[in-house]
Amino acid sequence: MKLNEHFSSLERSYLFSQIAREVDDYQSAHPSAEVIRLGIGDVTRPLAEAVVKAFADAVYEQGQAATFHGYGPEQGYAFLREAIAAHYATFQVQLSADDIFISDGAKSDVGNILDLFGPGNTALIPDPVYPVYRDTNQMAGNRIRYLDAGRHNGFLPLPDGRPADLIYLCSPNNPTGAVYRREQLKQWVDYARDLGAIILFDAAYEAFLQDEYLPHSIYEIEGARECAIEFCSFSKTAGFTGTRCGYTVVPRELERGGFSLHDMWFRRQSTKFNGVSYPVQRAAAAVFSPQGETQCRASIEVYRQNAAIICEALRGCGIWHVGGENAPYIWMQCPGGLSSWEFFRLLLNRAGVVGTPGSGFGKNGEGYFRLTAFGDTEKTQQAMERIADVIGRIS
């Protein structure tokens, strides 16, 4: 028997598993301490009322013989795909519902998409980066070339002339919260088309964009349909982290070597995936109803308020940071020359606040730290008061 030897190249544990262990150790040693978590990007607001009603109604349907649904279409029910296509139209992107594939989340699809590509491809991945991009390519045995992101380029790297087969972009970005402008994405689209490469574009946080001039989708850029696959999610838009639903867009125009990537993805999904449950898809479709949009927007506004609290506190401490305005993540420089893990442990032990060490996202994350805006507003305010106190003691 042969095992996948590429697993040996991975870090021994997933970043957030290591964080969880250290937090558990701290809480065991300090059982009365109140820990405030601004680390993992999990939402805290409940599902919108309109979403819950649609979910419950669909569950009731499943209990009646006349309305019971068994296996659904592997690509997703038309009612949800059409609702997503209508959502894209609000930012002037015309998609066919046939281009949209419903899944159990963007993270799954970002990993599974590598099934379409042979072994040994070269993946161009930003550093710092969401670990799933890096880890899944290591598992597949692909070559990885990193794009240096830092303060010098606003953590938004641009094409540097190096060849690649796959190009990973995330905007608004996880972990940095930085957002590509339209003209910057145009450079990437032109570059990919010249190379014959495929852009894998993660748009999971597009609902947090406030600036109307910032692109919500790679398909707002001319030529992207011939070179890009887009992933999106209901997790952050509508609080589906525990409900699980996302979607991937593979345009019909996207072809390589005489193969339609749309048809390949359909074949992959129909072979390895039996679709998302009917109640979850009904709940997801309700996100795009007038009531659902209003209610989901209210939750996003709470997270935006939290981000504003975080950014204001960091400015008051004189700490450089990016993100927060058009993204739920704030990427801050560690104070006093501390390393990422040193600052993590200092905050945990002195303030009872959990964030994410930037070095866990790559070598260029060293010396930086990620905070998330997904917590309770009162707790976020308390956390920033504690963080400000710790920073003040360092200074």
Side-chain angles (χ1 to χ4, degrees), residues 84-354:
I84 293 169
H87 172 65
Y88 271 81
T90 64
F91 37 88
Q92 288 71 57
V93 172
Q94 303 303 317
L95 283 183
S96 166
D98 186 54
D99 291 338
I100 299 165
F101 295 79
I102 308 303
S103 74
D104 60 351
K107 180 179 181 179
S108 299
D109 282 0
V110 166
N112 292 333
I113 201 71
L114 291 180
D115 280 3
L116 303 193
F117 306 102
N121 281 303
T122 298
L124 205 55
I125 299 178
D127 181 346
V129 68
Y130 180 44
V132 172
Y133 309 158
R134 177 190 64 223
D135 291 355
T136 53
N137 275 279
Q138 287 181 262
M139 292 174 185
N142 286 338
R143 293 181 296 272
I144 299 175
R145 292 177 177 163
Y146 290 105
L147 289 161
D148 281 331
R151 285 186 64 171
H152 65 285
N153 56 17
F155 285 93
L156 293 169
L158 293 171
D160 61 4
R162 289 182 294 173
D165 303 300
L166 304 172
I167 300 170
Y168 286 77
L169 300 177
C170 178
S171 183
N173 187 265
N174 179 12
T176 68
V179 183
Y180 276 111
R181 300 188 305 275
R182 204 173 300 272
E183 62 271 19
Q184 292 172 314
L185 285 184
K186 183 66 166 65
Q187 290 184 51
W188 277 116
V189 168
D190 291 346
Y191 187 62
R193 294 185 72 185
D194 287 344
L195 290 176
I198 301 292
I199 294 173
L200 302 176
F201 190 79
D202 188 342
Y205 306 97
E206 63 87 11
F208 287 85
L209 291 168
Q210 300 184 75
D211 188 334
E212 62 180 309
Y213 298 105
L214 293 173
H216 288 251
S217 167
I218 191 72
Y219 301 120
E220 294 181 52
I221 310 303
E222 183 181 0
R225 292 174 186 269
E226 291 82 39
C227 69
I229 295 172
E230 183 162 289
F231 308 89
C232 205
S233 168
F234 291 93
S235 288
K236 307 309 191 293
T237 300
F240 273 52
T241 53
T243 306
R244 308 309 304 145
C245 194
Y247 53 93
T248 293
V249 181
V250 189
R252 279 283 183 187
E253 298 93 321
L254 188 55
E255 297 182 351
R256 290 293 183 275
F259 288 90
S260 162
L261 272 73
H262 177 282
D263 292 348
M264 290 174 68
W265 186 241
F266 182 86
R267 185 67 172 86
R268 188 268 173 207
Q269 292 297 82
S270 59
T271 299
K272 293 188 174 184
F273 186 60
N274 262 339
V276 176
S277 75
Y278 173 75
V280 167
Q281 292 196 57
R282 279 295 183 193
V287 170
F288 300 110
S289 69
Q291 300 92 337
E293 287 187 344
T294 298
Q295 293 161 6
C296 290
R297 183 61 52 189
S299 289
I300 289 173
E301 289 303 321
V302 171
Y303 299 140
R304 283 180 174 162
Q305 180 182 352
N306 293 347
I309 290 170
I310 294 170
C311 291
E312 182 180 3
L314 294 178
R315 283 192 293 269
C317 295
I319 299 296
W320 183 92
H321 61 279
V322 68
E325 185 176 350
N326 290 287
Y329 298 115
I330 297 87
W331 184 252
M332 60 173 284
Q333 190 161 25
C334 295
L338 293 173
S339 74
S340 299
W341 279 102
E342 285 173 339
F343 188 55
F344 169 83
R345 292 174 180 127
L346 187 68
L347 282 187
L348 178 59
N349 287 285
R350 291 194 184 177
V353 175
V354 180

